Amino acid sequence: MGMDQFGFGTSPGQPFGAKDDRPGLLILADSPYLDDAEALSHAAGLRLLGTVTLEQAAMRLDTQIGCDLVLLFCPSPNDLLERLLVQVETLAMQNDMPVILVAGLHTIDLAYACIRSDRTQLLCAPDHADLAAALLAAADQTQFHHVLEANRDNEGLRLQQLSEEVSRLARTLEALTLRPRHATSSFELGPRISDQPSDYIGMPALEPIGSADKPSDTVEVDAVQVRDLLRARRLRDDFLPADLFADPAWDMLLDLLAARLEHERVSVSSLCIASAVPPTTALRWIRTLTEQGFVHRQADPHDGRRVFITLTDHTAEALARWFTASRRFLCA
């Protein structure tokens, strides 16, 4: 299917030179993702504007006309990435344009810190269903709703087709992205991505749990208790299927509570690991918890490329009170 940046092409069923009103997709990625670009865009009902390497991406974004959606693959860090992320997010804000960022564990913190648009979706090592759903959601956000409505009856078939087309793409991404693996025994919490103590110099102190008008015995809890509870939850995986008990929101809140009690900061990548679910699933929960006011973003004053996730005060108080209320059952 040939086409130019102005939206004219020779897609199936169209005469040569006919205007293609499908939303325009620009893919920014290094090989091997470019090999699947045409099939990927076609299956999503999108018009492929081009596939550009990360080295050429900045120049292409400056000259691109008629772009409705940007898909940026950035699984590995490089010198160009921060500038490119900022440029993409600026365009997203200026043009009210949806963006999909596909990061790896080594780039997720930078990508998360650069996000400014509410219409940006951040994925990390997604499977084919996650990527298919993100593309369809982004396509549905564009101004071409009348085109998508006409195809709504075939959306189930289109989603299946898209899932099949991107499965090879997602498998390649997963292979190139470091994903935490379960140890032989799941009793240990696994590696934690922690920063050096010097990274926190100048950061505001975390507020203690409890206040002067609340009895101290109502909020008495320490980090050891929280970590023990997390280890007990992981221990279940040695005896029963882990997917029966997936509860990422609770696991992340417990990890954040323990970190707060230990006066530690938690990065996005570290919190994804603590959730014990695929990173893209964890990112959706982080967004939900943020939007509902359970956690909030805290910028690193020394490094604009990093954002920490912390409990809000009322969430920390609620968790501490839960420990107090449940202690008689946990210690029985």
Side-chain angles (χ1 to χ4, degrees):
M1 179 174 59
M3 60 188 66
D4 61 22
Q5 62 179 343
F6 299 99
F8 294 89
T10 57
S11 57
Q14 287 186 314
F16 179 80
K19 193 176 190 312
D20 189 343
D21 286 331
R22 293 175 301 168
L25 168 67
L26 180 64
I27 298 179
L28 311 178
D30 289 326
S31 179
Y33 311 113
L34 304 184
D35 296 337
D36 290 314
E38 187 166 356
L40 177 66
S41 58
H42 179 72
L46 298 167
R47 172 171 51 99
L48 181 62
L49 299 172
T51 56
V52 185
T53 64
L54 298 187
E55 185 177 2
Q56 300 172 329
M59 183 179 298
R60 179 60 178 266
L61 288 171
D62 286 338
T63 59
Q64 181 63 55
I65 298 175
C67 183
D68 302 295
L69 168 63
V70 171
L71 172 59
L72 168 59
F73 288 93
C74 52
S76 303
N78 64 65
D79 296 337
L80 303 172
L81 185 54
E82 182 179 358
R83 180 179 180 274
L84 182 57
L85 286 167
V86 171
Q87 183 180 10
V88 168
E89 280 299 288
T90 300
L91 285 175
M93 295 288 289
Q94 291 175 342
N95 302 323
D96 194 24
M97 177 182 66
V99 168
I100 301 174
L101 304 178
V102 181
L105 280 177
H106 292 297
T107 57
I108 188 174
D109 291 308
L110 174 60
Y112 188 86
C114 290
I115 290 177
R116 295 294 181 269
S117 171
D118 292 335
R119 301 185 68 182
T120 296
Q121 300 180 70
L122 176 59
L123 311 180
C124 182
D127 60 23
H128 66 279
D130 287 326
L131 189 52
L135 280 164
L136 287 175
D140 285 337
Q141 291 178 21
T142 65
Q143 58 182 318
F144 298 95
H145 289 293
H146 62 283
V147 176
L148 297 176
E149 287 292 335
N151 294 326
R152 190 163 297 279
D153 292 339
N154 296 323
E155 188 163 301
L157 179 60
R158 186 159 60 98
L159 177 58
Q160 180 181 357
Q161 180 187 10
L162 177 59
S163 297
E164 293 172 353
E165 293 288 352
V166 303
S167 60
R168 179 160 57 94
L169 180 73
R171 285 196 300 270
T172 304
L173 177 62
E174 183 174 359
L176 294 179
T177 304
L178 293 179
R179 182 189 291 268
R181 303 294 182 184
H182 292 293
T184 303
S185 171
S186 57
F187 182 80
E188 294 300 324
L189 294 180
R192 178 182 178 84
I193 300 179
S194 58
D195 303 296
Q196 298 298 321
S198 59
D199 290 337
Y200 305 118
I201 296 175
M203 292 288 288
L206 292 173
E207 293 295 328
I209 296 176
S211 59
D213 60 343
K214 298 174 185 175
S216 60
D217 60 352
T218 64
V219 291
E220 183 181 352
V221 61
D222 59 52
V224 174
Q225 292 173 314
V226 182
R227 295 293 181 200
D228 284 346
L229 179 57
L230 281 166
R231 289 187 179 92
R233 290 169 63 78
R234 295 291 176 270
L235 186 61
R236 296 176 310 192
D237 298 349
D238 286 343
F239 305 97
L240 296 165
D243 55 358
L244 288 177
F245 304 104
D247 194 358
W250 184 240
D251 284 334
M252 285 191 286
L253 290 177
L254 291 176
D255 187 71
L256 289 170
L257 177 62
R260 180 175 176 132
L261 292 166
E262 295 165 341
H263 302 285
E264 291 185 357
R265 307 287 172 175
V266 180
S267 64
V268 174
S269 52
S270 178
L271 196 56
C272 286
I273 292 176
S275 70
V277 294
T280 290
T281 302
L283 287 168
R284 285 197 293 264
W285 278 106
I286 291 174
R287 184 165 189 165
T288 297
L289 291 171
T290 303
E291 291 174 347
Q292 296 187 9
F294 291 101
V295 304
H296 60 81
R297 296 163 54 113
Q298 186 177 59
D300 184 344
H302 304 295
D303 189 347
R305 298 169 298 178
R306 183 168 55 183
V307 171
F308 298 112
I309 304 297
T310 64
L311 293 176
T312 57
D313 290 341
H314 73 84
T315 305
E317 292 284 352
L319 289 170
R321 291 180 179 278
W322 174 84
F323 267 96
T324 300
S326 61
R327 181 175 289 118
R328 62 193 180 101
F329 301 109
L330 296 174
C331 299

